[in-house]
Amino acid sequence: MLSFSSRLATLDSVIKWHSDIREKVVSPSGRPIPVILLANKCDIHGNKIPCEYLIQFCKKNNILAWFFTSAKENINIGEAIQFLVEKIIRSQSESPYESLEVPNDSFQLTPKKIVKKKKVKCC
């Protein structure tokens, strides 16, 4: 989820997007997928959403963590992605994949079967 680090109003959109994700996307085990909040544009000087407010916002809305980020300056992008990937891997290792029934307006993330392509040799 993405918001602007200086605009509190963008968190209203985060609530809607988060609700949509929770309603329509589940992991293969049926659990909600991990979600983090990126408070982007932290490189722009000015008023920023207070850290304590973001902590409480994430707790209230079941968001795992938040990061001040800057895509322009590459601030905390790698750290946020690494955190999210580690949470995804951990959640997948905690429960085996199983087939689930999901609502018609939803979709289920499932692992792809790896198909090895045959190497064709010339002549």
Side-chain angles (χ1 to χ4, degrees):
M1 315 271 19
L2 183 69
S3 70
F4 294 121
S5 62
S6 61
R7 294 180 51 208
L8 194 60
T10 60
L11 293 176
D12 292 337
S13 296
V14 167
I15 293 170
K16 181 189 179 318
W17 298 331
H18 190 247
S19 175
D20 286 346
I21 287 173
R22 290 287 186 239
E23 290 174 13
K24 298 176 182 173
V25 183
V26 294
S27 71
S29 67
R31 294 181 184 170
I33 62 169
V35 174
I36 62 173
L37 174 65
L38 304 181
N40 199 37
K41 299 191 178 195
C42 71
D43 57 307
I44 297 175
H45 297 289
N47 293 338
K48 292 201 176 17
I49 299 171
C51 294
E52 187 57 38
Y53 186 89
L54 290 172
I55 291 168
Q56 294 307 317
F57 178 84
C58 288
K59 282 182 183 178
K60 179 181 176 184
N61 292 287
N62 295 317
I63 296 173
L64 289 177
W66 64 272
F67 294 83
F68 278 129
T69 60
S70 169
K72 179 181 176 183
E73 300 294 329
N74 195 25
I75 298 171
N76 279 341
I77 301 297
E79 292 84 349
I81 297 303
Q82 181 175 350
F83 177 87
L84 182 59
V85 169
E86 286 174 0
K87 291 296 182 185
I88 291 168
I89 290 170
R90 188 173 302 132
S91 71
Q92 287 182 350
S93 66
E94 289 174 358
S95 65
Y97 294 138
E98 53 189 43
S99 64
L100 298 168
E101 292 184 31
V102 294
N104 290 337
D105 63 344
S106 301
F107 63 92
Q108 180 178 355
L109 301 176
T110 57
K112 285 186 174 181
K113 292 181 180 179
I114 298 173
V115 178
K116 291 185 178 181
K117 293 183 179 181
K118 293 182 179 180
K119 292 184 180 181
V120 179
K121 294 183 180 180
C122 180
C123 308

